[in-house]
């Protein structure tokens, strides 16, 4: 890790620690109002950390909804706190909602309940701010999968402005992903069979590429060259389907494995590319 990365991480940690008991986060001259563990639903796991631009007039702002990874049955929003702070530094005029969602287990299914949680978080933000915000869904690994699945399933509603997919599985049926050591869990507990709609298979119901259409939102993806959990081939498949449906997209690669995307210099590169991608979208 570069020295500059250590310094920036140290600065973020410093500001986080001094503001942990306050409802304010300051990163240099950028300030956000911080609200931790806000319940957006009745379940104990349905909580979010919400960051609002501090001291600025209320206006309609785009919202980043951020989804952690963990194989659909583990993980916590705290895993992405520092990355969220880094995004806030780059996008000081946006709202950020770093959310937990209900985790799957051997007795509970992931879907459709985790998709319902994204809907509930979105509805909560809409009610809280009295407008329907444009949403940028950003997630890593399982969170990347959920971001794509929600966005592509609801494409016609036009509520998702963009998807930022970080090492997320896009095609669950591909042999490159079937080597995932927890694939048996995917087969057994990813989808509640009682939720299946007629004519849609168990796998397709949870498969992001199955739901891609011409109305799907622009998508930026980030995959690791040496990722053995979600192989680079997943990005190739995703690009192919997005191309076929003429959906604006961009995919970048980094030299690392599944957990290396938020290490320097990969994290800074990604944030810069997100900024560029969103600016390019505005020009379309």
């Amino acid at each position: 890790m570069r020295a500059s990365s250590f310094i920036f991480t140290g600065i973020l940690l410093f500001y986080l620690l001094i503001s942990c008991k306050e409802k304010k986060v300051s990163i240099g001259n950028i300030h956000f109002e911080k609200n931790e563990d806000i319940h957006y639903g009745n379940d104990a796991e349905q909580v979010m950390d919400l960051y609002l631009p501090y001291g600025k007039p209320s206006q309609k702002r785009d919202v980043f909804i951020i989804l952690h990874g963990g194989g659909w049955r583990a993980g916590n929003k705290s895993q992405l706190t520092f990355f969220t702070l880094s995004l806030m530094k780059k996008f000081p005029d946006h709202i950020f909602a770093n959310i937990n969602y209900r985790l799957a287990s051997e007795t509970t299914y992931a879907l459709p309940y985790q998709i319902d949680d994204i809907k509930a978080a979105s509805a909560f933000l809409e009610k809280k701010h009295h407008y329907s915000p444009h949403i940028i869904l950003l997630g890593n690994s399982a969170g990347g999968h959920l971001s794509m699945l929600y966005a592509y399933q609801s494409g016609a509603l036009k509520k998702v402005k963009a998807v930022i997919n970080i090492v997320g599985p896009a095609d669950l049926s591909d042999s490159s992903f079937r080597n995932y050591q927890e694939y048996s869990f995917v087969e057994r507990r990813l989808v509640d069979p009682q939720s299946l709609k007629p004519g849609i298979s168990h796998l397709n119901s949870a498969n992001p590429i199955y739901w891609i259409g011409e109305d799907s939102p622009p998508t930026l993806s980030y995959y690791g060259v040496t990722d053995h959990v979600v192989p680079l081939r997943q990005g190739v498949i995703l690009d192919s389907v997005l191309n076929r449906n003429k959906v604006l997209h961009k995919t970048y690669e980094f030299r690392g494995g599944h957990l290396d995307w938020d290490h320097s210099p990969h994290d800074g590169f990604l944030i810069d590319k997100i900024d560029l991608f969103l600016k390019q979208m505005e020009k379309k």
Side-chain angles (χ1 to χ4, degrees):
M1 184 180 287
R2 293 179 178 176
S4 59
S5 180
F6 277 118
I7 293 171
F8 181 62
T9 300
I11 292 172
L12 289 179
L13 180 60
F14 172 75
Y15 282 117
L16 185 64
L17 289 175
I18 65 172
S19 62
C20 64
K21 294 183 180 180
E22 302 175 3
K23 287 193 173 183
K24 185 177 179 181
V25 172
S26 298
I27 307 168
N29 61 350
I30 297 169
H31 310 287
F32 279 81
E33 176 187 338
K34 175 186 68 173
N35 296 278
E36 293 183 318
D37 294 327
I38 299 175
H39 285 268
Y40 64 85
N42 295 324
D43 191 278
E45 293 182 305
Q46 292 175 309
V47 295
M48 68 169 67
D49 293 342
L50 183 62
Y51 302 89
L52 308 170
Y54 188 86
K56 296 184 179 180
S58 178
Q59 64 184 64
K60 293 183 179 180
R61 301 178 185 276
D62 291 349
V63 177
F64 277 90
I65 293 182
I66 298 171
L67 302 160
H68 65 80
W72 299 279
R73 59 174 173 172
N76 186 278
K77 56 184 169 62
S78 62
Q79 297 169 207
L80 293 181
T81 295
F82 285 119
F83 188 71
T84 301
L85 290 170
S86 299
L87 284 169
M88 288 158 55
K89 187 173 187 292
K90 191 71 168 183
F91 300 97
D93 294 321
H94 287 61
I95 293 170
F96 292 84
N98 184 14
I99 78 169
N100 278 350
Y101 47 86
R102 289 170 290 177
L103 300 176
S105 69
E106 291 297 339
T107 58
T108 58
Y109 294 97
L111 302 174
Y113 311 106
Q114 292 173 356
I115 293 297
D116 291 341
D117 288 351
I118 300 175
K119 292 178 183 176
S122 177
F124 172 86
L125 293 168
E126 185 173 335
K127 183 176 180 180
K128 178 177 177 63
H129 298 291
H130 308 292
Y131 69 94
S132 182
H134 290 135
I135 294 170
I136 302 163
L137 278 178
L138 181 151
N140 72 295
S141 196
H145 165 267
L146 294 171
S147 296
M148 288 186 286
L149 188 62
Y150 175 83
Y152 300 154
Q153 285 182 340
S154 60
L157 299 177
K158 299 295 184 182
K159 285 196 172 185
V160 178
K161 178 179 181 178
V163 178
I164 311 300
N165 158 45
I166 307 170
V167 300
D171 182 7
L172 306 181
S173 66
D174 184 69
S175 59
S176 69
F177 183 66
R178 286 180 177 271
N179 293 325
Y180 172 50
Q181 63 180 359
E182 300 292 337
Y183 195 78
S184 63
F185 183 84
V186 172
E187 293 180 309
R188 290 182 291 107
R189 307 306 302 179
L190 188 61
V191 181
D192 185 344
Q194 295 186 10
S195 70
L196 293 176
K197 297 180 181 179
I200 302 179
S201 70
H202 171 277
L203 204 56
N204 278 340
S205 67
N207 221 14
I209 64 167
Y210 176 81
W211 298 96
I212 292 174
E214 292 184 357
D215 56 2
S216 294
T219 303
L220 182 149
S221 296
Y222 204 37
Y223 286 99
V225 174
T226 59
D227 191 338
H228 301 298
V229 179
V230 180
L232 189 62
R233 176 175 161 79
Q234 288 284 299
V236 175
I237 295 170
L238 177 60
D239 282 349
S240 176
V241 180
L242 291 169
N243 270 327
R244 191 160 63 243
N245 286 275
K246 300 178 181 178
V247 177
L248 178 66
H249 67 283
K250 188 71 178 179
T251 297
Y252 295 97
E253 301 173 5
F254 62 92
R255 294 193 174 277
H258 194 64
L259 301 178
D260 295 328
W261 64 270
D262 65 345
H263 297 171
S264 179
H266 311 314
D267 53 351
F269 176 86
L270 173 58
I271 291 173
D272 286 342
K273 295 305 181 184
I274 293 171
D275 183 35
L276 178 62
F277 188 69
L278 295 179
K279 287 176 179 176
Q280 289 174 338
M281 284 174 50
E282 298 292 344
K283 295 178 181 179
K284 294 293 183 179

